[in-house]
Structures are given as C-alpha cells and as structure tokens.
Amino acid sequence: MVNYKDLGLVNTREMFSKAVAGGYAIPAFNFNTMEQMQAIVQAAVETKSPVIMQVSKGARSYANPTILRYMAEGAVAYAKELGCEKPEIVLHLDHGDSFEICKDCIDSGFSSVMYDGSALPFEENIAITRKVVEYAHKFDVTVEAELGVLAGVEDDVVAEESHYTKPEEVIEFATKTGCDSLAISIGTSHGAYKFKPEQCTRDPKTGRLIPPPLAFDVLAEIEKKLPGFPIVLHGSSSVPEEEVDIINKYGGNLPDAVGIPEEQLRKAAKSAVCKINIDSDSRLAMTAAVRKHLAEHPDHFDPRQYLKPARESMKKMYVHKIVNVLGSDGKLG
C-alpha cells in the first residue's frame, strides 16, 4: 500500500472547495509521457496554479502503473526544484471502469479516482460508486462519479450518442454514493471530433464549423439541486484551429475537427464547475509541433530534437488554459 501523502500529492477536496467559492476551475490534464508531465508542471509553477494530473486506463497500460506513480512523485519534486514551495498536485484516475481498477490505483498512490458507471443502470451505478467511495475514504482519497453519457472516443471510453444528465437524479445519486464531485453531461464530448458536421453550422466566410452551445440550462438546474457541490466537465478540449491547420499542412488528415469554444468554458468555470478535463488539445499541440519540426528538419532523428518543441508547445497551451480559460492562476496556497 502506497499512501499518496508520502509522495507529496494532495486530494481534490480543499482545492475544489476553493474553486467553487472563487469562481474558477482546476485544470485536469491527461498525461502518459515525460514531456507531458514536464510541460504540466512547468505551466502550473509558472502560473502558480493547482493542477490535476490525470491517468486513463489506457495511459496506465501504455506507460506502466509503477512508472506513472514515480512520475507523479517526481512531478512534485520537480515543481519544488522550479521554485514552488508547496505545489498542489493531484494524481487522478480518469474513467475507472471497475471497483478493482479504482482500488488498485488507490493502493498504488493515487490521491483521487473516478469511477465511471454512467453507462450502467442508475441503481447499479450508485451501488458500485458507493463501494468505491467507502474504500477510497478510508485513505482520504477523493472520488469523482459520473451521471449522463458523453459522446466521442477517449482511449477505451466510446459512446455514439450523448445523454444529458437528468437534474432530478443528482440529489439521490450524490446522497446515496457519497461522492466528492460529479461529472455531468451538458454537451461536451471526448476526442477531436466533438460534434458531427450536421450538428454544427458553418461560418459562411471561413467555412469553419461552429458547434452548438452547451446546455447551461441543465447545469443551472443541477446547481439548484446541489448548491455548492463540485461539478466536473469531461471532454472539454477546444481543438484549436491553428494546431489542426499545422497538422493538416504537414501531412495530417483531420478534416472538420471541432471542439468546445473557450468562451463557453470560461462561463462554465465561473459556475460550480470546478474541474475541467483537457486531453485532446495536448495531443494536438504535441503532434502539430512534431510534424512541423520533422518536415522542416528531415535530417533530424534524435527524439529530443522534436520532442523539445513539442514540450514547449504543450506548455504554452497549458499556460493559456490556466490563465485565459480556467482562471486558476495565482490560486496556490
């Protein structure tokens, strides 16, 4: 059994409480490589922001659970080396799909886990979430649960259609499970293709897709039912046009990729939404930088030559999200 506190990590309880009261959201960035981890820590230290480093089931399989745990411990030490005396870093399981994987992560040093039973019948979702909560709280680990289904693809999480969270269910769910935060569905989606073209309109001048707005009326109803309760948005990458354009320019093929407009995320961050998940934007920033560098330097073969600009691109994106979208800069301590 590895206690996350021995690794220098924190859970989400206090940071979420401050975020809800302060009208901002904590960045939750997915990672599975050293470059992603370095960029996340650099951005968090530079902006004085708390941060959640998320690991999906697929990331654990790709990078190895033991290595990821030591990377998280190293992230805390790295933040201190960069001048942050008291970093607030969470190691979080994203989309845990069973009690067993949640337990395994808790036992190996995670400070927060998500159990995603959103595809299950309501009562079954409650029962398994409650089991995860009871185990996690023995070790002061916080638990995120989910009601409603997001469309799209993220690692092993696949859904053809989204189903908005039903506000009339949230009180019973939160009370019976004892979860610490609740991921809801109000129109965000996983992956770089968050909406089908037929769901969007096109800008007549640029031909770009304009996505439909998020269901803020559903969010408002949930806030009324659960005042002050920490709410989470998954699938909240904005899929920046400039990164997609670079990828396509240098041999990629991402037609009609579209994400969540940042002005809508800014609005969400000022509500009870205190955690906003961003994964695809990091992948796009990294891929765009790598494609561009290799196209411009066909003689390069040392991974450090193209991963360094990729790391810089991701850090720039993380800083932008923290400062200009989520508003979590300057909130450490």
Side-chain angles (χ1 to χ4, degrees):
M1 178 76 192
V2 178
N3 190 301
Y4 71 87
K5 295 175 184 178
D6 294 334
L7 305 180
L9 300 165
V10 300
N11 67 25
T12 61
R13 192 169 291 115
E14 185 176 352
M15 66 170 62
F16 281 1
S17 177
K18 290 179 179 178
V20 172
Y24 61 92
I26 307 297
F29 299 131
N30 289 69
F31 84 107
N32 51 53
T33 72
M34 181 185 74
E35 289 78 17
Q36 286 175 310
M37 182 272 283
Q38 289 172 320
I40 291 169
V41 173
Q42 290 169 6
V45 171
E46 184 176 305
T47 60
K48 296 180 173 60
S49 173
V51 70
I52 296 168
M53 292 174 46
Q54 298 196 148
V55 178
S56 67
K57 181 180 177 181
R60 291 184 87 227
S61 175
Y62 174 82
N64 179 271
T66 303
I67 289 174
L68 285 171
R69 181 199 0 132
Y70 283 108
M71 286 176 71
E73 183 178 16
V76 175
Y78 183 39
K80 291 179 179 178
E81 285 181 11
L82 293 175
C84 181
E85 291 184 13
K86 295 182 179 180
E88 294 179 12
I89 298 175
V90 174
L91 179 61
H92 174 75
L93 170 65
D94 190 24
H95 288 290
D97 60 1
S98 68
F99 169 79
E100 287 73 22
I101 191 173
C102 291
K103 179 181 183 299
D104 189 44
C105 287
I106 293 165
D107 292 347
S108 64
F110 279 62
S111 57
S112 175
V113 296
M114 177 200 184
Y115 172 67
D116 181 2
S118 59
L120 299 174
F122 184 68
E123 293 298 335
E124 190 175 350
N125 189 0
I126 286 177
I128 301 177
T129 302
R130 181 65 205 172
K131 185 178 180 182
V132 172
V133 168
E134 288 174 349
Y135 186 78
H137 283 184
K138 291 179 183 178
F139 306 101
D140 200 26
V141 171
T142 42
V143 178
E144 175 186 330
E146 182 166 350
L147 262 183
V149 179
L150 272 69
V153 178
E154 180 184 25
D155 287 350
D156 298 323
V157 182
V158 180
E160 287 293 327
E161 296 181 357
S162 64
H163 300 282
Y164 287 167
T165 303
K166 298 176 182 177
E168 62 270 20
E169 293 181 343
V170 297
I171 295 176
E172 180 183 0
F173 186 86
T175 301
K176 287 186 175 180
T177 63
C179 64
D180 300 287
S181 60
L182 183 63
I184 63 170
S185 174
I186 59 169
T188 55
S189 179
H190 292 130
Y193 295 90
K194 299 190 180 300
F195 304 97
K196 297 176 182 177
E198 57 265 28
Q199 294 176 284
C200 306
T201 56
R202 284 195 185 271
D203 186 317
K205 294 181 179 179
T206 65
R208 301 275 193 183
L209 292 177
I210 301 173
L214 299 179
F216 283 102
D217 56 331
V218 175
L219 174 59
E221 284 300 311
I222 291 171
E223 286 184 292
K224 288 179 183 177
K225 301 285 187 183
L226 294 174
F229 194 82
I231 301 298
V232 177
L233 285 188
H234 283 243
S236 296
S237 284
S238 298
V239 188
E241 293 175 356
E242 59 271 21
E243 305 293 2
V244 173
D245 287 345
I246 291 171
I247 291 171
N248 290 337
K249 178 180 178 180
Y250 294 103
N253 184 26
L254 294 175
D256 290 335
V258 63
I260 309 300
E262 289 186 340
E263 61 268 20
Q264 295 198 43
L265 297 176
R266 277 190 283 270
K267 180 178 179 181
K270 290 180 170 61
S271 70
V273 172
C274 62
K275 173 177 179 274
I276 292 182
N277 292 10
I278 297 168
D279 186 5
S280 294
D281 284 354
S282 172
R283 299 178 183 189
L284 292 167
M286 186 176 201
T287 300
V290 170
R291 280 190 174 274
K292 183 175 186 292
H293 183 92
L294 290 177
E296 294 176 346
H297 304 278
D299 58 318
H300 284 183
F301 63 93
D302 183 340
R304 292 171 296 182
Q305 292 173 309
Y306 52 83
L307 289 177
K308 183 176 180 180
R311 184 176 60 195
E312 287 300 312
S313 182
M314 287 189 290
K315 177 195 170 185
K316 181 180 177 182
M317 185 275 294
Y318 293 139
V319 169
H320 166 72
K321 297 292 184 181
I322 289 169
V323 175
N324 299 314
V325 181
L326 308 181
S328 63
D329 52 309
K331 301 301 192 297
L332 272 183

